[in-house]
Amino acid sequence: MGKIAKHVPMFLRRGTQHFVVAIWRFYAALVMRTARIEYDGIEEIAANRMLGFWHEDSYCMQLLLKELHKHNKSVHVIVTAERRGDYISEMVTRYGSIPMRLPDGLQMRSFLNDLKEESKKEMLTLAAAMDGPSGPYHKPKRLLFMLAHEANKEIVYVRYEKKGMVTLPWRWDKYRIPLPFAKLKCKMYYFGMIEKSELRNFDEYVKRKFGETD
């Protein structure tokens, strides 16, 4: 599919992207207007903190970004540099957030150095899918936690409950789409700072922290 896309004129690709994003935004707006959405612990999302979520909640996070935008809170979101990241970047930008594209290959080292410096900025809130962009499912990578440690920032884990969702079981991330007129709940868990010793024993840290939220 990616090889075919390379041969499609840019204006057609952009037109398709805008059309798809418009549909996504229309559906998200429908959910926001008709669903009962409870944000438990949203006060934990303060400036100068790191937000971690599962890739399955990527679409649901648009609802949270929109809610934060209402309160004049802007979030920097790490987004894949792949083509699908173009769609995500346009979507999050519409909700007042700032995409940061994560490249592959040789450009990765340079980007990580820039990302480390960027994440240290005062009042900057950074969000990332902990098991993104391609899994394994619910196996968090160290990136967000390493950035939090080096920037001396606290971590907040964002989790949507399963109720009121449609799950796509054929996808690696079991992607979830919220339903209109449903009762949805988004809960924020305060993880606090992560110590260097916890990064060294990351598997143990993950079991302890995420075990407490099950």
Side-chain angles (χ1 to χ4, degrees), residues 143-210:
L143 177 61
L144 183 76
F145 301 87
M146 178 194 69
L147 291 173
H149 174 70
E150 295 202 5
N152 200 33
K153 293 187 177 183
E154 298 160 310
I155 300 168
V156 177
Y157 166 45
V158 180
R159 177 68 169 154
Y160 276 84
E161 293 187 354
K162 293 181 180 179
K163 187 177 180 181
M165 305 276 186
V166 169
T167 301
L168 308 185
W170 59 86
R171 287 185 42 138
W172 73 263
D173 57 357
K174 298 179 175 59
Y175 196 76
R176 303 193 300 185
I177 301 172
L179 293 172
F181 305 99
K183 184 177 180 181
L184 308 172
K185 185 173 182 179
C186 177
K187 186 169 176 58
M188 274 57 72
Y189 298 89
Y190 174 74
F191 278 11
M193 300 285 191
I194 181 168
E195 302 296 331
K196 194 170 185 177
S197 60
E198 292 175 316
L199 275 176
R200 282 198 298 263
N201 300 287
F202 190 63
D203 289 343
E204 182 181 314
Y205 170 84
V206 167
K207 288 179 183 178
R208 176 166 53 85
K209 283 295 185 179
F210 291 97

Side-chain angles (χ1 to χ4, degrees), residues 27-38:
Y27 184 79
L30 177 64
V31 173
M32 289 178 213
R33 290 194 186 102
T34 62
R36 292 175 53 197
I37 309 175
E38 178 185 351

Side-chain angles (χ1 to χ4, degrees), residues 5-18:
K6 290 180 182 178
H7 299 287
V8 177
M10 181 58 71
F11 76 93
L12 288 179
R13 289 166 59 185
R14 288 295 182 190
T16 301
Q17 175 182 319
H18 297 328

